[in-house]
Amino acid sequence: MTKFWLMKSEPGCFSIDDLAESENQTTPWDGVRNYQARNFMRDQMEIGDHVLFYHSVKNPSVVGTAEVVKESYPDFTAWDPDDPHFDPKSSEENPRWFMVDIKLLEKFSNPVPLKFLRTVGGLEGMELLRKGSRLSVMPVAKDEFKIICRIGKE
DNA sequence: GCCAACGTTGGC
DNA sequence: GCCAACGTTGGC
């Protein structure tokens, strides 16, 4: 059963264009250091799940879609002291952080701003729209995913 | 740059 | 296990 997700990225850090230019348009989703977000990736994401790619910070928007192409494995960037997401409590023997690989499906011709999402019927229950929502990886309902895709392709 | 909301840490 | 202090996220 295909599941649906939303993943946040700061475009200055890794944008959908960076994904488009990656080898095979695929990237490991490294750097997540939040347990709830990790658990979604580690325990629930499966190959073939679909992802809304979200840019935060400036005019935050859903900018496209991607697909999970590799299920969770240890986030090795946590072991690198020179990496900004280094975590000394994670080790190869006992990894604390996990990631999946995602592959670009489609870059929206019409990116959908957060501001607009708040006005769309059927999205009232979205985790993303909750005040103070800070999760960087979150589940999305199938209907919500479809609504947003339809707008994004307009 | 501000700040509200939230997560994590650590002393007790 | 509680909770105060602190750090981070992310919209504005």
Side-chain angles (χ1 to χ4, degrees), chain A residues 1 15 20 49-50 56 69 74 76-77 91 95-98 108 110 117 123 126 132 136 139 141 144-145:
Chain A
M1 201 14 200
S15 71
D49 282 1
H50 285 198
S56 59
V69 292
F76 47 76
T77 66
S91 65
R96 173 174 296 215
W97 303 112
F98 290 80
F108 283 167
N110 179 42
L117 290 177
L123 302 182
M126 272 190 88
S136 63
E144 295 165 348
F145 191 94

Side-chain angles (χ1 to χ4, degrees), chain A residues 20-130:
Chain A
E21 287 161 18
S22 299
E23 193 179 350
N24 293 325
Q25 301 193 320
T26 299
T27 188
W29 202 256
D30 62 81
V32 171
R33 297 293 179 267
N34 169 282
Y35 291 103
Q36 223 182 327
R38 177 204 69 180
N39 292 347
F40 284 135
M41 288 197 293
R42 188 188 60 183
D43 305 335
Q44 293 193 37
M45 278 196 193
E46 295 180 281
I47 289 177
D49 282 1
H50 285 198
V51 175
L52 294 171
F53 196 110
Y54 179 84
H55 281 174
S56 59
V57 184
K58 201 181 67 181
N59 189 24
S61 309
V62 179
V63 292
T65 55
E67 179 182 13
V68 175
V69 292
K70 181 174 177 180
E71 289 176 16
S72 75
Y73 59 107
D75 181 345
F76 47 76
T77 66
W79 307 331
D80 177 1
D82 296 325
D83 191 278
H85 301 293
F86 174 62
D87 180 357
K89 292 175 190 152
S90 186
S91 65
E92 290 193 49
E93 299 73 37
N94 189 17
R96 173 174 296 215
W97 303 112
F98 290 80
M99 58 190 177
V100 298
D101 285 0
I102 65 165
K103 176 173 184 164
L104 181 69
L105 279 178
E106 184 175 21
K107 188 179 160 182
F108 283 167
S109 49
N110 179 42
V112 190
L114 178 63
K115 254 186 281 182
F116 186 74
L117 290 177
R118 295 189 189 284
T119 71
V120 177
L123 302 182
E124 295 84 359
M126 272 190 88
E127 164 69 22
L128 180 71
L129 304 185
R130 248 192 59 239

